[in-house]
Amino acid sequence: MTDHPFRFGAVAGQAPDAAAWTGLARRAEGLGYSTLLVPDTLGTFSPFTAAAVAATATTTLRVGTYVLSAPNRTPQAVAWESATLHRLTGGRFELGLGAGRPGAEADAAALGVRFGTPGERIERLSETIDAVQDVRILVAASGTRLLRLAARKADTVALGVPAHYTEEQVAAKLDELYELAGDRFHDLELAMNLACAGSEPPDWALSRFGRTGTGILTGTVTEMADTLRRRRDHLGVSYVSVNAQFMDAFAPVVERLAGT
């Protein structure tokens, strides 16, 4: 069981214009979400810029990247951007890092940077963490090498597992993290992302993500809240993010659990 209180993030990377983007940020803040998280893809907003704009429109909402592809930027560039956002947001910026999601290699090619081998990407990620100061760092991890790095250097570990993973499969990953982290394990905040959430998710979401798995949360507000409490008790997961398309549908759960 973890001592970490619940907190919640909304993941979004697009809006029609600045008014819609800042409106989304203010709505997330008003609904009780702790963070607005921006993905790092060439099909979405530039994460540092979008996070900065969201921060200027809000007062308590934290902003972050979910997650930055470390191979696509030098460690020094990430440190510079992070230090700027940390200062200009009054410490409300959180840096989410990864070694490159599926599809990130194509983005790297389009940007004219070398993606590298898995080992090289993990080393770049480690160097990036070391270059950044004063910023809370989340590392997305699933495989053993990334879990080992996250166990040593992250504040938050986001389990990068498919939405269909069962609680037993997630528990096996966390057992591995426990062994790798040792005394640090209980200080780590554990995070997972919900691909779909709400009492009645749309058919397109269910057909895309399925109806079962830890990345799918459906039911009444009480049922969803009870599921997340059980997962925190059994798995230690206290930081839950959700696709912003489901931000309003999931808000009653946030209201019930945030900070508890």
Side-chain angles (χ1 to χ4, degrees), residues 18 37 49 53 55 60 62 74-75 81 87 92 102 108 110 127 148 166 174 190 213 235:
L37 304 169
T49 302
V53 172
T60 61
R62 301 178 69 83
T74 66
E81 296 277 11
R87 183 176 301 179
R92 288 189 285 140
E127 292 170 356
R148 181 179 292 113
T166 65
L174 291 172
L190 302 181
L235 303 175

Side-chain angles (χ1 to χ4, degrees), residues 102 133 160 217 224:
Q133 298 180 1
L217 188 65
M224 289 188 287

Side-chain angles (χ1 to χ4, degrees), residues 19-38:
W21 179 249
T22 55
L24 185 151
R26 285 191 291 267
R27 192 165 80 253
E29 182 177 60
L31 291 172
Y33 287 86
S34 172
T35 51
L36 178 61
L37 304 169
V38 187

Side-chain angles (χ1 to χ4, degrees), residues 131-162:
V132 174
Q133 298 180 1
D134 301 322
V135 174
R136 186 175 184 88
I137 292 177
L138 173 151
V139 172
S142 179
T144 298
R145 285 185 291 181
L146 275 174
L147 286 171
R148 181 179 292 113
L149 176 62
R152 289 171 43 225
K153 297 187 176 184
D155 299 299
T156 300
V157 180
L159 295 178
V161 297

Side-chain angles (χ1 to χ4, degrees), residues 189-216:
E189 179 184 51
L190 302 181
M192 289 188 67
N193 183 62
L194 297 176
C196 175
S199 59
E200 296 182 5
D203 290 339
W204 69 261
L206 294 176
S207 63
R208 177 178 177 182
F209 301 116
R211 294 180 176 273
T212 60
T214 52
I216 313 300

Side-chain angles (χ1 to χ4, degrees), residues 52-120:
V53 172
T56 63
T58 55
T59 56
T60 61
L61 185 72
R62 301 178 69 83
V63 294
T65 56
Y66 194 80
V67 293
L68 208 69
S69 181
N72 293 3
R73 299 165 183 81
T74 66
Q76 293 73 23
V78 176
W80 178 33
E81 296 277 11
S82 298
T84 299
L85 268 174
H86 175 72
R87 183 176 301 179
L88 296 183
T89 62
R92 288 189 285 140
F93 176 66
E94 300 185 11
L95 178 64
L97 291 168
R101 62 175 177 82
E105 186 170 7
D107 286 354
L111 292 168
V113 298
R114 183 173 179 274
F115 194 56
T117 66
E120 289 170 336

